[in-house]
Amino acid sequence: MTDTSVADTDRLSGNKDMIVCEGVNKWFGDFQALKGVTATIKEQEVVVVLGPSGSGKSTWIRCINRLEAHQGGTIIVDGVELSNDLRNIEKIRSEVGMVFQQFNLFPHLTVRDNVTLAPIWVRKRPRAEAEQLAMDLLERVGIPEQADKYPGQLSGGQQQRVAIARSLAMEPRVMLFDEPTSALDPEMIKEVLDVMKDLARGGMTMMVVTHEMGFAREVADRIIFMESGEIVESGTPEHFFTNPTEERTKLFLSQIL
Amino acid sequence: MTDHITIDQTPALPPEKPRLTAGSWVRQNLFSSVRSGILTVIFGVFSFFAFKVLVNTMFENPDRDWLAVKTNLRLYAAFAYPITQFVRVWVALGLVLALLGLSLGIWRSASAVAARTIASRLIASGLTVLAGTLLVGPPVLRDEAGEPVYDETFEALRGTWRSGLEQRTGWFLLAFALVAAGVALWFGLGSRRNTLTVPTTLVVWIASGVVIGSTWVVRYGHYGLDPEGVPVGDPDSLVAMSTRMPWTVMWLLVAVAYQLGRFVSRWNSSRLLITAAWFLAPFIAFWVILRDPAIDYGHVWSTDLPMFLGFGVLGGLLLFLLADPKIGELGRFIAFLLVVVAALTFVSGFYGWFSMLQKARISFCLLALFALMANNFAGDRQTRLRFAGAWVLLIGIAHYFITLMNSPSTLELRADSFLGGFLFTMFAALFGLMFSFPLGVLLALARTSTLPIFRLLATWFIEFVRGVPFITVLFFFDIMLPLFLPAGMEAPDMAATVLGLVLFSSAYLAENVRGGLQSVRRGQYEAADAIGLTGAQRTSLIVLPQALRVSIPPLVGQAITTYKETSLFAIIGVFDFLRVANYVVPNQSTPVNFIGHKLEGLIFVSFVYWLGSITMSKYSQNLESKMGVGER
Amino acid sequence: MTTEGEGTLAGMQPKRVPLYRDATVVKWVTQVIALLLVLGALFFLVEEAGANLKAKSIPNDFDFLGINPGFNISEGIDKDPNTGGRALWVGMVNTLRLAMSGIVFATLLGLAIGIARLSDNWIVNRLASIYIETIRNIPILVQIFIIAVLLGSAGRLVGDTGPINGWFMVSSKGLAVPRIFPSDGFYQWLVVLAIGTLLARAVRKRRVTHQDLTGAISYPNLWFGAVLLLVAVVGWFVHPVFGFLNNLFNEIGDAWGSIPQSGAKLVLAAGAVTASLLWIRRFLNSKRSPAGLAKLTDDDMFRMIFAVIGGLLVAFVVTIGWPGLSSWIINSGQDFWHFLGDKFGDGRTGNPVDAMRPTIVGEGTLLNYGSQGLVMSPGFAAMFIGLTLYTASFVAEIVRGGILAVPKGQSEAAAAIGLNRAQALRHVILPQAVRVSLPPLGNQYLNITKNTSLGIAIGFADVVNVGGTVLNQSGKALPVIAIWMLFFLCCSLTISVVVNWFNVRTRIVER
């Protein structure tokens, strides 16, 4: 396995570890989706995970949020180990936001209710406060005027931005993005990526699975390349795009660029 | 956040089709080909004779005596309920109708009927009545006692056609009135008849108003007779007329409730409140209004109130503590302890370690349930206070109804059956369905759960119940319920049948809800998990609202089935609507001899059942087309 | 890699999760508690019921199955059963007879009405829709009562011939038509037919191969029918050659009698259990792919559970229940093999199937139908007509829905590739419509079977009615109810297995 050490950018050097994965394994039946994935992600770091489809990148970030249970190795998020411990699962779920490829907004609730749901029911905040927060967040993702519509009435890009606002409403310390732009029409991709860039600039720790190379090049502190459940290579964008060391990485890049 | 199940409010208008002239309509629909023409002739002749045979069998037939229905309407309505206390029946009915009006107002349906359709339906029904009146044979001659007169060959003697026409003036008038109303509407509206639509609710309300209002104008119906042959109610008035006042009140009540429902629908909590009211309604109707319980106030002051205060205050305090978000696992532990205590209260009673009032046991069960839920209602001070308040309210209501159930009825009953007739059928169907609904949802959730033991239990229960006929379930409860109860407690047949109905239809409802649950996509669960909702929150806030919305049409279908299934109570010996027609009236010899007159009652009963279920099925079709289910 | 501080790997010892916070533990403890509560509640109810029954001194056993029930049954294969079990069996046969005839006729009528509902002739369309809307919105029980009343008001039975010269009679005693019954050589003929079927299948297979190889249309189904018909006709005359089976079965019976029974039973029982286990192994193997065992669904679990139950049931019947059970079903003191042997024999040279016209027996006003004709008692007729009419209205809607569910593009596509209307219907529309209709149709068949239980309301001697009589006489409620439920569960299971089988088949055909 190649070096998985943290990219030595200055702004991250003093930060503490936010996500620590060590030898994470995951099987689906006989199929091993993750083979000893080991990586450390610093606070405020933006990591883009690349790889061909079926390489286990989605599975990996879903493990970090316990949407899938990993079956070997250790995952520690913000000092809390993800295990069978209910208290830890609760804690991590409320500290890690997740944005899905298919948005997964709740179609029977208005945009406002989608965003206030978690603050009210999980964070136990008063409704008025939660609604204020929701409006602030919708403002931040640029669609305050849609607050009273239902998700079905919005475009894909708007829906994804609502989904980001919904995750942010939990005030998470880490945001996971699972191919957030793959289900979008080309003209809507930019509006979502802009929101994500904003977030990154604001110092959010982010793990992004995406095929948007421009985004990776511009925003990522580090790029992790995965194939068949293993981390093949990891490094800064310049390193990754200009002179990757591994053959498999070169092959991958030659196919997509 | 309770208004997820609102239906899109756009009225469904049929697409404009070019109107055909009568001639081309006939050509297109009846004689489009030789084959079609032959079919038209054959089935035209067939339907003519079928209709003729039908009206003649039903009406001018020496074996028919519609007095069997007319004079026994009271039995059909409420069976042996004491006549002097009938106002209670009206109040109970009013309660249900008021709730119905409120619900209709809150969950407004946007379905509408085109004025053109109303007019043509009126004309068509008028013509049908006219045809029926003309097609029945001359009237059967009857003696003073109402028995038909026969000749030597045992053929009934009949009057002349002319006498028949004279006797049926009322029917002719009805036919002409219907046709006239239809024609007036048709031409009165002019070209607007094609565009104007009237809300279905309004049409139904006006139609029932015309029927009820007609009793103020026309003298029809017959005397209701009590078993001694004395006319019931006002001796000078006919059944239809003696009940015109209460019916009018009911009719107005529905309208008022509907408007009120429209008014309160703007408040979110109105839906929650009306649902709660529906669940309280059967208890109030049955134990408060119809039974008029004799409450022992000594017992209330000495036992009931202190118990309520104890459970209310201590339980409220405990729940207030448990709803603290910071309590963590300690809360789970206390809830677990409460479950054990609740189970122990029953075990101890069984082994006679120490006795305890049934009320206390039930209260412990409820407390354990609330404690298990507390985690989901945790929050700031206000939320916690509200949660504790809900507990006090619920335990108060529960204690009140348990007290009511334990108090004897003040009504003196003439027969062993307390409630019967259509009132019982309606109450059983409505309330049985209502209580089987939460059970069905729970079963469906368990069946789709990821926890194998829950899934297995639910699957076995559902498949078992769905595999056996309803009547065997009824027999089971009828025979076994008295055996299951501890000594000294008695359950009437009625309770056994309704319990059987609840369990039986819950299994079917569960399958309908399961269909809805399966339509909720996997991503919804994941999104709910990802934002940190607990399992119960995920189910109640995200999954169920979506699943139930999808399963509304099959649920209405199940409601129709349940309504029809209540007729099986007659076999068990409960004096329900059908049993009155099939057993009570045909065995009645005083004051009028109706022995053997079964068919009249059965036809009447089937008409009433038909009316109820066709209304529901039209409503469900309406919903289905509006939700785009079943259309492709 | 960082090596110091809390929250990093190196400094972290694997901590033990407290039990009350462990997701797996909590999950299972919750379930076990729920299971205990359910079992506990059941236990208390059963204990309570048992105590109450004891207090009323009603024993809860199955003794009534073996003793004389002391009542007659109005119709069925045995009107004067000598054991309670036999009486219930007669009721079960009546139920099945009613259910099967109801299923067949409701399907046919429903098909006709469903198609009429789609007709573009206004009158036909309207009549069908009035039929559906009327019948299916009135409770089945009310309809059965009405039909029973109408049948009861039919004319009294009179001594002379019926409407069509004695072939067909209607009266308040029921309907009577000629009875077609298996006669002398029936079982021998059946053997001929079985052989004929095998033969016809072989021929059919050859024809299919022929068509596949040469492309010539070779009518395999026609050949199948022709061969079967030929064998049936020939068999009508030559069936006595199978008389030798008489000796064969008797000898098997003797041999069976001479071997130690307990040992033989044990072997058979072990065989049944082994067979079910082998089936499960095969089933599991079929679910196994190179990637490992597929996730088993509830359905798969149930199949395996039922396989085990089936094996155990056979074992139980063979070792313990057989003599009693066989005497209920075949009502003969002989053992099974001799019973079978009796069906064959040298004396049996007559026609395999015979028919008789209904007769009338009795005097004066006590006339009734004799045993010659096929009599449909008023109870059976009311149930049969009621169930058929009622279920047909649902079947019609299913048929209509199934045909409408095939997208319009399908018939357009069929026309585009040059199929004519009949071909399109046969090869494109119907296969898809059937696939949509089958599951709800199976549900309706289940409903018919369950609705036969309404026979108790009008005195038709079905299993519920007979059971009710037994229950009233012996007071043994629980055993009787258990038998009812078990019987209907078996019926439901059989129907759903058959429907599933068809379902799978149509799905494969479609693929």
Side-chain angles (χ1 to χ4, degrees):
Chain A
M1 193 176 294
T2 21
D3 172 33
T4 58
S5 65
V6 180
D8 51 352
T9 39
D10 292 339
R11 73 177 186 95
L12 299 172
S13 52
N15 289 358
K16 64 169 185 161
D17 294 346
M18 187 53 99
I19 303 174
V20 180
C21 295
E22 170 118 347
V24 174
N25 288 321
K26 169 79 191 170
W27 284 270
F28 292 111
D30 271 9
F31 172 69
Q32 187 168 9
L34 294 180
K35 298 171 186 162
V37 173
T38 301
T40 305
I41 289 150
K42 291 266 185 187
E43 193 171 9
Q44 300 202 334
E45 189 176 3
V46 177
V47 173
V48 170
V49 185
L50 294 177
S53 61
S55 57
K57 44 195 199 312
S58 282
T59 310
W60 182 26
I61 72 166
R62 286 159 64 85
C63 280
I64 293 172
N65 200 8
R66 192 73 175 186
L67 288 179
E68 311 275 2
H70 60 286
Q71 287 147 334
T74 330
I75 298 177
I76 297 170
V77 180
D78 198 15
V80 179
E81 190 189 345
L82 198 50
S83 64
N84 244 352
D85 189 338
L86 282 173
R87 185 191 282 174
N88 291 1
I89 295 173
E90 269 171 34
K91 195 159 188 314
I92 288 177
R93 285 255 172 89
S94 61
E95 294 214 337
V96 179
M98 175 118 183
V99 176
F100 299 88
Q101 181 180 357
Q102 297 295 341
F103 329 137
N104 291 340
L105 291 178
F106 305 129
H108 61 296
L109 300 177
T110 60
V111 166
R112 188 200 307 272
D113 287 340
N114 261 286
V115 181
T116 54
L117 195 69
I120 291 175
W121 289 93
V122 182
R123 289 265 185 251
K124 318 284 187 196
R125 295 174 68 163
R127 178 175 277 274
E129 205 181 307
E131 291 198 343
Q132 187 53 48
L133 174 71
M135 285 318 289
D136 290 349
L137 286 170
L138 289 175
E139 195 93 49
R140 194 161 147 200
V141 299
I143 37 173
E145 72 282 358
Q146 312 283 10
D148 291 314
K149 287 195 178 163
Y150 284 89
Q153 296 165 298
L154 304 184
S155 73
Q158 289 172 327
Q159 288 195 41
Q160 193 61 297
R161 286 189 278 161
V162 174
I164 294 173
R166 181 178 69 181
S167 300
L168 289 176
M170 292 291 295
E171 295 167 336
R173 312 203 43 191
V174 182
M175 285 283 280
L176 307 175
F177 293 83
D178 188 1
E179 306 204 14
T181 54
S182 300
L184 294 177
D185 292 337
E187 72 267 23
M188 292 167 181
I189 291 177
K190 187 177 172 296
E191 60 187 58
V192 173
L193 290 182
D194 285 347
V195 171
M196 288 166 66
K197 282 175 199 164
D198 266 2
L199 265 181
R201 267 180 229 121
M204 176 67 76
T205 313
M206 287 165 67
M207 256 184 100
V208 185
V209 173
T210 186
H211 296 297
E212 294 296 328
M213 295 302 151
F215 177 82
R217 209 187 282 253
E218 185 188 337
V219 185
D221 294 309
R222 184 153 56 113
I223 291 179
I224 294 178
F225 175 67
M226 286 184 80
E227 193 179 310
S228 35
E230 292 170 315
I231 294 180
V232 176
E233 184 160 8
S234 120
T236 57
E238 306 101 86
H239 162 81
F240 184 81
F241 284 109
T242 50
N243 55 12
T245 42
E246 294 286 318
E247 268 319 302
R248 287 192 278 178
T249 319
K250 286 176 189 162
L251 185 68
F252 175 73
L253 286 173
S254 72
Q255 279 166 349
I256 57 161
L257 289 178
Chain B
M1 269 200 274
T2 42
D3 57 340
H4 326 308
I5 313 173
T6 44
I7 309 303
D8 204 11
Q9 305 256 332
T10 43
L13 274 179
E16 276 297 315
K17 267 191 238 160
R19 300 280 170 198
L20 299 172
T21 60
S24 58
W25 185 89
V26 167
R27 216 171 307 120
Q28 279 191 13
N29 289 300
L30 297 177
F31 298 98
S32 58
S33 65
V34 178
R35 205 178 117 261
S36 174
I38 295 172
L39 283 178
T40 303
V41 172
I42 293 175
F43 281 100
V45 172
F46 167 78
S47 28
F48 174 79
F49 282 103
F51 186 61
K52 191 172 173 211
V53 168
L54 191 71
V55 283
N56 274 299
T57 322
M58 273 171 64
F59 298 104
E60 282 310 333
N61 180 321
D63 295 336
R64 292 295 91 74
D65 190 353
W66 285 92
L67 275 186
V69 173
K70 287 184 197 163
T71 61
N72 284 315
L73 280 176
R74 192 179 50 79
L75 288 184
Y76 279 111
F79 190 53
Y81 201 81
I83 296 165
T84 48
Q85 299 286 314
F86 241 55
V87 64
R88 294 182 178 280
V89 174
W90 288 109
V91 173
L93 187 68
L95 177 73
V96 173
L97 286 179
L99 282 176
L100 195 70
L102 273 171
S103 312
L104 285 176
I106 290 176
W107 286 280
R108 246 189 335 281
S109 141
S111 87
V113 195
R116 188 191 165 88
T117 319
I118 302 175
S120 54
R121 287 281 161 83
L122 278 174
I123 297 175
S125 50
L127 291 179
T128 314
V129 172
L130 186 66
T133 319
L134 290 173
L135 280 176
V136 289
V140 175
L141 292 181
R142 289 176 189 271
D143 58 17
E144 293 86 40
E147 296 295 321
V149 184
Y150 293 98
D151 65 7
E152 316 77 63
T153 59
F154 219 66
E155 284 288 312
L157 290 175
R158 286 173 182 269
T160 59
W161 276 99
R162 199 188 148 79
S163 67
L165 296 188
E166 279 160 7
Q167 274 183 25
R168 299 190 193 110
T169 325
W171 287 103
F172 278 114
L173 282 177
L174 176 65
F176 285 127
L178 286 171
V179 173
V183 169
L185 199 59
W186 182 277
F187 290 105
L189 286 173
S191 62
R192 282 205 303 146
R193 64 172 172 259
N194 289 334
T195 49
L196 186 75
T197 57
V198 188
T200 317
T201 349
L202 188 63
V203 175
V204 173
W205 188 67
I206 290 176
S208 52
V210 169
V211 174
I212 291 168
S214 68
T215 53
W216 292 90
V217 185
V218 189
R219 279 183 62 87
Y220 59 76
H222 198 275
Y223 300 109
L225 302 170
D226 75 0
E228 276 80 48
V230 182
V232 170
D234 180 0
D236 291 327
S237 69
L238 312 168
V239 166
M241 301 176 69
S242 66
T243 57
R244 65 189 172 190
M245 191 64 209
W247 277 121
T248 311
V249 172
M250 297 289 138
W251 182 68
L252 291 173
L253 185 68
V254 172
V256 170
Y258 181 81
Q259 291 304 331
L260 194 66
R262 289 189 65 157
F263 179 71
V264 299
S265 68
R266 67 193 66 179
W267 301 321
N268 271 335
S269 51
S270 64
R271 289 169 173 82
L272 198 67
L273 284 177
I274 192 83
T275 312
W278 270 114
F279 277 91
L280 291 183
F283 298 107
I284 294 174
F286 191 78
W287 273 289
V288 182
I289 302 174
L290 289 171
R291 262 175 101 245
D292 188 25
I295 296 175
D296 174 2
Y297 282 98
H299 191 264
V300 167
W301 289 112
S302 67
T303 317
D304 294 336
L305 265 185
M307 253 179 97
F308 162 64
L309 287 177
F311 272 106
V313 172
L314 294 179
L317 275 177
L318 183 67
L319 290 172
F320 184 77
L321 279 178
L322 287 180
D324 187 341
K326 288 190 287 293
I327 194 164
E329 287 80 26
L330 183 64
R332 275 187 207 136
F333 185 68
I334 295 176
F336 172 74
L337 269 187
L338 275 172
V339 172
V340 173
V341 169
L344 273 181
T345 57
F346 283 94
V347 177
S348 70
F350 184 75
Y351 289 111
W353 294 338
F354 56 89
S355 68
M356 187 185 271
L357 284 175
Q358 200 73 14
K359 197 192 251 178
R361 292 187 186 142
I362 294 172
S363 307
F364 273 119
C365 283
L366 287 174
L367 190 61
L369 200 69
F370 262 69
L372 287 174
M373 292 192 309
N375 178 29
N376 297 310
F377 289 92
D380 59 349
R381 211 182 135 73
Q382 201 194 348
T383 325
R384 288 163 69 189
L385 274 177
R386 216 182 288 161
F387 182 59
W391 159 257
V392 177
L393 191 70
L394 186 103
I395 200 73
I397 292 171
H399 279 197
Y400 175 56
F401 283 120
I402 294 172
T403 308
L404 285 182
M405 284 179 215
N406 288 337
S407 310
S409 168
T410 60
L411 288 187
E412 284 184 18
L413 299 174
R414 301 175 61 100
D416 53 349
S417 176
F418 170 67
L419 189 60
F422 187 67
L423 196 68
F424 175 61
T425 293
M426 191 186 74
F427 274 24
L430 194 65
F431 299 138
L433 202 71
M434 230 167 62
F435 284 99
S436 62
F437 182 71
L439 196 58
V441 171
L442 281 183
L443 280 171
L445 286 175
R447 192 168 180 178
T448 51
S449 148
T450 50
L451 308 178
I453 291 184
F454 286 168
R455 201 171 56 221
L456 210 68
L457 283 177
T459 310
W460 279 88
F461 176 79
I462 292 171
E463 290 307 322
F464 178 83
V465 171
R466 279 159 46 90
V468 300
F470 184 39
I471 191 69
T472 55
V473 176
L474 279 183
F475 273 123
F476 178 79
F477 278 99
D478 193 41
I479 296 168
M480 296 311 291
L481 190 64
L483 298 180
F484 285 151
L485 291 176
M489 246 175 99
E490 280 191 13
D493 277 357
M494 274 159 46
T497 51
V498 175
L499 189 62
L501 183 76
V502 168
L503 286 185
F504 188 74
S505 53
S506 72
Y508 285 82
L509 284 177
E511 284 302 273
N512 293 334
V513 176
R514 185 165 75 114
L517 286 174
Q518 281 168 344
S519 75
V520 178
R521 284 189 328 230
R522 177 115 210 96
Q524 295 289 317
Y525 290 82
E526 287 180 352
D529 282 344
I531 63 170
L533 295 182
T534 64
Q537 288 170 342
R538 183 184 66 197
T539 305
S540 58
L541 297 173
I542 307 298
V543 179
L544 271 185
Q546 296 183 51
L548 290 183
R549 200 194 135 103
V550 176
S551 38
I552 287 175
L555 285 175
V556 179
Q558 189 52 43
I560 298 173
T561 313
T562 306
Y563 171 64
K564 289 190 293 179
E565 223 125 55
T566 54
S567 60
L568 265 63
F569 291 169
I571 300 179
I572 297 294
V574 173
F575 287 90
D576 78 329
F577 195 38
L578 177 57
R579 194 171 165 83
V580 174
N582 189 53
Y583 179 78
V584 178
V585 175
N587 287 321
Q588 200 179 42
S589 54
T590 54
V592 187
N593 184 5
F594 291 131
I595 290 195
H597 284 285
K598 235 183 208 184
L599 202 57
E600 296 87 347
L602 288 175
I603 290 172
F604 171 66
V605 161
S606 33
F607 176 72
V608 175
Y609 274 117
W610 177 82
L611 203 63
S613 69
I614 193 99
T615 314
M616 283 190 270
S617 99
K618 289 287 171 211
Y619 177 71
S620 135
Q621 281 169 14
N622 204 327
L623 272 183
E624 229 167 293
S625 61
K626 215 171 291 169
M627 293 174 59
V629 189
E631 262 186 22
R632 216 149 283 177
Chain C
M1 194 176 272
T2 39
T3 49
E4 287 122 355
E6 271 269 317
T8 53
L9 277 171
M12 195 145 172
Q13 294 301 315
K15 261 191 291 179
R16 173 164 295 211
V17 183
L19 283 184
Y20 60 88
R21 261 164 47 189
D22 189 311
T24 321
V25 173
V26 168
K27 179 178 151 182
W28 282 99
V29 166
T30 320
Q31 291 187 75
V32 169
I33 289 176
L35 186 68
L36 284 181
L37 285 179
V38 169
L39 288 183
L42 280 180
F43 172 77
F44 285 123
L45 285 179
V46 170
E47 282 286 294
E48 194 75 46
N52 279 325
L53 281 174
K54 206 169 278 170
K56 291 179 183 167
S57 63
I58 304 172
N60 244 340
D61 53 42
F62 285 84
D63 283 353
F64 63 89
L65 290 178
I67 55 177
N68 198 323
F71 62 86
N72 290 343
I73 299 177
S74 59
E75 67 178 302
I77 48 172
D78 186 355
K79 294 186 179 173
D80 187 14
N82 48 19
T83 63
R86 174 79 180 162
L88 283 172
W89 172 250
V90 174
M92 288 177 195
V93 172
N94 281 341
T95 295
L96 292 177
R97 217 160 47 121
L98 177 60
M100 278 178 209
S101 29
I103 284 174
V104 171
F105 282 87
T107 311
L108 295 177
L109 186 63
L111 205 61
I113 292 169
I115 290 168
R117 184 78 180 74
L118 289 170
S119 160
D120 46 12
N121 183 301
W122 186 81
I123 285 199
V124 174
N125 190 322
R126 263 301 102 135
L127 281 178
S129 102
I130 289 175
Y131 174 87
I132 293 172
E133 293 294 350
T134 314
I135 297 287
R136 98 188 164 139
N137 283 315
I138 298 175
I140 170 74
L141 186 60
V142 180
Q143 295 188 42
I144 290 174
F145 278 145
I146 290 180
I147 292 165
V149 171
L150 288 177
L151 286 177
S153 64
R156 266 180 299 176
L157 192 60
V158 281
D160 59 355
T161 52
I164 313 171
N165 199 20
W167 285 93
F168 179 70
M169 291 190 258
V170 187
S171 75
S172 55
K173 298 273 184 194
L175 315 174
V177 291
R179 177 204 288 273
I180 299 172
F181 58 95
S183 173
D184 256 4
F186 182 71
Y187 288 83
Q188 289 157 181
W189 191 51
L190 221 53
V191 175
V192 179
L193 283 188
I195 295 171
T197 312
L198 291 180
L199 193 70
R201 276 185 63 156
V203 171
R204 183 177 184 277
K205 204 168 171 192
R206 272 185 66 106
R207 299 309 303 175
V208 171
T209 322
H210 182 247
Q211 178 166 355
D212 287 351
L213 287 179
T214 62
I217 295 177
S218 54
Y219 308 107
N221 288 327
L222 208 65
W223 273 88
F224 180 86
V227 170
L228 196 60
L229 190 71
L230 189 73
V231 173
V233 171
V234 173
W236 190 273
F237 301 103
V238 304
H239 66 82
V241 297
F242 285 102
F244 73 88
L245 287 172
N246 176 10
N247 293 331
L248 184 68
F249 283 129
N250 283 341
E251 261 158 41
I252 292 176
D254 292 342
W256 176 250
S258 65
I259 48 176
Q261 289 296 297
S262 50
K265 282 174 174 175
L266 218 59
V267 170
L268 274 182
V273 174
T274 318
S276 74
L277 292 181
L278 280 178
W279 183 87
I280 289 178
R281 223 184 77 177
R282 225 190 67 185
F283 182 74
L284 283 178
N285 277 338
S286 74
K287 295 274 163 191
R288 193 166 280 145
S289 60
L293 193 62
K295 201 164 178 297
L296 293 176
T297 60
D298 285 354
D299 196 48
D300 297 334
M301 284 298 184
F302 276 114
R303 281 194 199 180
M304 292 195 283
I305 290 170
F306 283 124
V308 172
I309 291 178
L312 290 179
L313 205 67
V314 172
F316 170 79
V317 167
V318 168
T319 49
I320 299 161
W322 179 251
L325 206 67
S326 71
S327 77
W328 299 354
I329 296 173
I330 56 187
N331 201 28
S332 119
Q334 292 169 309
D335 74 71
F336 176 72
W337 294 107
H338 285 102
F339 170 79
L340 209 59
D342 269 7
K343 301 286 179 193
F344 301 87
D346 298 333
R348 294 178 173 264
T349 51
N351 286 341
V353 177
D354 230 329
M356 267 192 255
R357 272 205 282 180
T359 52
I360 293 172
V361 295
E363 298 228 340
T365 53
L366 294 173
L367 287 179
N368 205 341
Y369 295 115
S371 57
Q372 274 85 345
L374 182 65
V375 180
M376 205 196 249
S377 70
F380 185 92
M383 288 302 296
F384 169 67
I385 297 172
L387 287 179
T388 304
L389 294 182
Y390 184 71
T391 314
S393 70
F394 289 90
V395 173
E397 283 294 88
I398 292 168
V399 168
R400 172 169 168 258
I403 292 176
L404 286 182
V406 181
K408 214 175 158 203
Q410 291 291 315
S411 48
E412 285 166 1
I417 60 168
L419 299 182
N420 66 27
R421 227 183 108 84
Q423 283 171 330
L425 208 65
R426 160 81 182 76
H427 294 288
V428 180
I429 311 290
L430 278 185
Q432 300 185 48
V434 165
R435 224 197 80 180
V436 178
S437 316
L438 256 181
L441 210 56
N443 247 341
Q444 288 309 319
Y445 294 162
L446 253 173
N447 283 347
I448 285 201
T449 314
K450 287 187 281 177
N451 280 338
T452 54
S453 59
L454 298 182
I456 192 170
I458 56 163
F460 170 66
D462 74 326
V463 62
V464 176
N465 195 354
V466 174
T469 317
V470 172
L471 191 156
N472 281 339
Q473 295 201 346
S474 63
K476 288 173 185 167
L478 261 187
V480 170
I481 291 176
I483 290 175
W484 281 342
M485 291 188 167
L486 209 63
F487 169 73
F488 281 106
L489 283 179
C490 288
C491 291
S492 306
L493 204 68
T494 314
I495 289 177
S496 57
V497 164
V498 170
V499 169
N500 265 343
W501 181 75
F502 268 110
N503 226 349
V504 169
R505 249 179 66 108
T506 47
R507 217 176 287 148
I508 289 168
V509 166
E510 213 219 348
R511 218 178 266 158

